[in-house]
Amino acid sequence: TARLYDIDSQSGELMRKILDMLLARQNLQHYTHEMYVCLKELAINASKANYKILFEKHVARPQYVSQEKDYTRFLRMFQEEIEKNGNRRLMELAREEDRFISITFQSSLDSIAVWVTNSQNISLIEKQALLKKLKKGEFKNGDSFGEMPDYAEGAGFGLNLILSILKEYTRDQEPLKVIFYPEFIKIGFMLTRDELKAKIVAPPAPGAGSNG
């Protein structure tokens, strides 16, 4: 388990190396890239969800703007913050209030799993949007967090990427799971070893395919 406020290039590279090491010990290193992409996208979405709560509390709400009452304006303000300052100010707030994410890699004899957990809950409107996306399992360009493509930060496309990868390795039609707890949320997936190993293509035997 790793505890982070966000996933940057340094922490991302560390997570990739750890994931590669763990998968290699199980002879599943073939899947490091795909599993890391899924893990990274989940971490980005989770940290952004934390940032939105902090942004609402410290910036939007003092200006009489909330996610529940005026989501379009809230997203516009949030996007402007990202464009102007990146995540610098939001990460400072996350550190001050210790609003972190936890990335967990689990392995058993039958399966491997990746879960990302927020240290706080998300707004009702984003819960509804998230569940809608996971149930649909597909996304259109104008369908990221409601019908507001101009103000969406791309989280919907990240989920779409994860789903497209996971569906290559499982028969589960809804492979990405989300669990809401009273004080936090976690999202992740589990893949069985049998289904993963069935996708590994064995290298050709020496001399195979040659004419002489």
Side-chain angles (χ1 to χ4, degrees), residues 27 36 45 66 73-74 77 84 135 137 140-141 144 160 174 181 185 187 190 204:
N27 200 30
Y36 174 70
N45 288 343
S66 71
R73 185 181 174 195
F74 172 83
M77 292 172 63
K84 183 178 180 181
K135 188 171 183 179
K140 298 178 182 178
N141 289 340
S144 182
N160 188 31
E174 296 181 8
Y181 295 93
I185 171 181
I187 185 170
M190 181 180 71

Side-chain angles (χ1 to χ4, degrees), residues 175-202:
L176 196 55
K177 313 297 184 183
V178 60
I179 304 174
F180 298 108
Y181 295 93
E183 300 298 330
F184 62 94
I185 171 181
K186 76 175 186 178
I187 185 170
F189 59 88
M190 181 180 71
L191 299 173
T192 68
R193 291 180 184 275
D194 288 342
E195 288 180 317
L196 284 172
K197 290 180 178 179
K199 289 288 184 177
I200 296 178
V201 178

Side-chain angles (χ1 to χ4, degrees), residues 3 11 42 55 60 85 140 149 202 208:
R3 183 179 182 276
S11 60
L42 288 175
F55 182 78
N85 300 302
K140 298 178 182 178

Side-chain angles (χ1 to χ4, degrees), residues 7 12 22 30 39 43 49 57 63 89 105-106 115 118 128-130 132 147 152 157 160 179 186 191:
I7 187 163
L22 293 171
H30 178 80
L39 181 154
K57 177 180 177 181
Q63 298 183 44
R89 293 204 311 172
F105 176 85
Q106 297 174 314
W115 291 96
N118 289 70
Q128 294 170 338
L130 176 59
K132 178 182 177 182
E147 303 301 326
F157 303 115
N160 188 31
I179 304 174
K186 76 175 186 178
L191 299 173

Side-chain angles (χ1 to χ4, degrees), residues 121-132 180-181:
N121 223 318
I122 63 176
S123 67
L124 177 60
I125 191 170
E126 294 214 341
K127 283 183 182 178
Q128 294 170 338
L130 176 59
L131 290 173
K132 178 182 177 182
F180 298 108
Y181 295 93

Side-chain angles (χ1 to χ4, degrees), residues 40-53:
K40 182 179 179 181
E41 290 298 328
L42 288 175
I44 289 172
N45 288 343
S47 61
K48 188 167 290 184
N50 277 355
Y51 288 160
K52 284 182 178 178
I53 295 294

